[in-house]
Amino acid sequence: MKLIINGKTEEFEDKITLEKLLDKLDIKEQVMAAAVNMEIVKQNSWDSHQLYDMDKIELLDFVGGG
């Protein structure tokens, strides 16, 4: 299955949730917000949000500054 993550195409096994994806990428602790196909997925739904071939995923972290 191909997923487009922050504009880059990656290949993964079938049947992966958003939470499993973040675990595989080892970035779960850094991601503060996620959108799949331009729709925000609430953090409490990451473990049940199923991803599908060619989903477009945007992962965001918040950086403070001044």
Side-chain angles (χ1 to χ4, degrees):
M1 169 171 67
K2 291 182 182 178
L3 300 173
I4 303 165
I5 305 166
N6 291 351
K8 183 179 175 188
T9 302
E10 304 266 350
E11 286 208 34
F12 295 90
E13 63 191 57
D14 287 337
K15 297 191 179 188
I16 189 170
T17 62
L18 183 55
E19 185 171 59
K20 292 261 188 221
L21 172 68
L22 298 176
D23 286 340
K24 282 188 177 282
L25 297 174
D26 198 28
I27 59 171
K28 186 176 174 184
E29 299 301 320
Q30 294 135 357
V31 174
M32 301 300 290
V36 177
N37 300 322
M38 302 295 288
E39 291 190 27
I40 297 293
V41 178
K42 292 185 179 185
Q43 200 166 13
N44 63 356
S45 298
W46 290 358
D47 64 337
S48 62
H49 189 92
Q50 187 69 45
L51 299 173
Y52 298 97
D53 192 45
M54 297 306 292
D55 274 350
K56 293 179 183 173
I57 301 147
E58 295 294 325
L59 304 174
L60 306 169
D61 63 345
F62 297 110
V63 178

